[in-house]
Amino acid sequence: MSRTTRAELGQRALSIIEQGAYQSRRGVMVNISADLQRCVAATELWPEPDLLQLRQQLLQQEVLSRC
């Protein structure tokens, strides 16, 4: 995929997010505004130390599940 194509897809994605909807290939308008609002409301900021701790926990679980 060319850089231009990736840029166009990114711009399209941003436009969909800003509008809260898009038109499907069949011409149907798909409203994603409620889904976007739920995503934003559920977004959490994870400080780096917490992310590192979570990573360690997940890696330990993975190792233990292989035993």
Side-chain angles (χ1 to χ4, degrees):
M1 184 182 305
S2 72
R3 183 173 190 233
T4 301
T5 300
R6 291 191 308 268
E8 289 170 355
L9 289 173
Q11 287 299 320
R12 173 131 168 77
L14 289 174
S15 176
I16 290 169
I17 291 167
E18 289 170 354
Q19 294 174 12
Y22 67 94
Q23 188 171 4
S24 73
R25 291 181 180 168
R26 294 183 177 169
V28 176
M29 284 303 292
V30 179
N31 188 321
I32 62 168
S33 60
D35 294 321
L36 288 171
Q37 289 175 355
R38 278 193 300 277
C39 288
V40 170
T43 299
E44 297 181 32
L45 175 63
W46 284 63
E48 186 175 0
D50 294 347
L51 286 173
L52 293 173
Q53 182 180 5
L54 176 62
R55 180 178 183 272
Q56 282 302 106
Q57 289 171 353
L58 293 173
L59 288 173
Q60 287 174 356
Q61 288 176 4
E62 183 179 332
V63 168
L64 292 175
S65 69
R66 291 181 183 177
C67 295

